Amino acid sequence: AEVYSPAGIACDRLVDELRLYLQAHPEQSGFYRPILGALAVVAGVDLGQAGETNRAVSYFELALEIRPQDHYMRANLAVILNLLGREDEALAHYDAIVNTPGVAVNPLIWVQAARLHAERGHTERAHALLRACVPLLPDAGDIHRFLSEMEKLAIVDLAEPEPGPSN
């Protein structure tokens, strides 16, 4: 398959070509490696949207290797792993995001992490993650019901200060 065609650019092929180039010319990796990471994210998104989730995972993993602090990419990888039923791996990526000091609460990520923790019986952890979402989603009935369920299941003293997301 071609990198360039009338239909557009095949980013996955471009990533593959750039990887081959860098294997042959490692002295160029200082310049091209960040570009490779950005292209790998685009290729992962394209493949995910095309339903090629297993291939998308490999490109997101490459991007994560190059840009380990990129939460956007890590969240995309977690979503796809979750869709593939690789929930333990997805949870590890969600936790890497929510446990990052100073990271802003993103309810989409926090709720998914809470759901996976709840399914594993980590109700106190799920409760803490959901509590962090409430101020951002005051009218989200589903989250409030989920939070109430976790409050019933978790041994939580609500009189104590709220635990942070890195509980």
Side-chain angles (χ1 to χ4, degrees):
E2 297 291 321
V3 171
Y4 304 101
S5 73
I9 298 172
C11 283
D12 57 330
R13 302 285 184 222
L14 187 56
V15 168
D16 296 342
E17 289 295 323
L18 185 52
R19 288 175 85 176
L20 290 173
Y21 175 81
L22 290 176
Q23 286 173 356
H25 304 280
E27 72 279 1
Q28 297 292 322
S29 52
F31 178 77
Y32 284 109
R33 197 154 166 80
I35 295 168
L36 179 64
L39 288 171
V41 171
V42 174
V45 170
D46 288 350
L47 291 166
Q49 290 175 341
E52 296 185 49
T53 50
N54 284 313
R55 288 189 60 217
V57 166
S58 68
Y59 288 93
F60 282 130
E61 288 174 337
L62 171 62
L64 181 61
E65 177 186 317
I66 295 169
R67 298 170 23 198
Q69 301 306 316
D70 186 332
H71 296 311
Y72 166 77
M73 187 283 313
R74 187 178 292 278
N76 277 288
L77 177 56
V79 168
I80 287 182
L81 290 169
N82 201 12
L83 290 172
L84 291 171
R86 295 165 58 181
E87 293 181 344
D88 289 336
E89 293 172 78
L91 182 56
H93 287 291
Y94 285 131
D95 277 345
I97 296 168
V98 302
N99 291 334
T100 301
V103 71
V105 173
N106 179 330
L108 297 173
I109 294 169
W110 263 246
V111 170
Q112 286 301 316
R115 183 186 60 78
L116 291 171
H117 276 292
E119 289 173 359
R120 284 153 183 74
H122 309 152
T123 54
E124 290 181 24
R125 178 72 172 134
H127 179 267
L129 290 164
L130 292 171
R131 294 271 308 168
C133 294
V134 169
L136 299 173
L137 302 168
D139 299 324
D142 290 343
I143 291 179
H144 291 279
R145 283 189 288 282
F146 189 12
L147 178 62
S148 293
E149 184 180 328
M150 290 302 101
E151 285 175 351
K152 291 175 191 168
L153 294 173
I155 303 169
V156 176
D157 181 357
L158 298 177
E160 291 183 19
E162 291 181 17
S166 62
N167 194 14

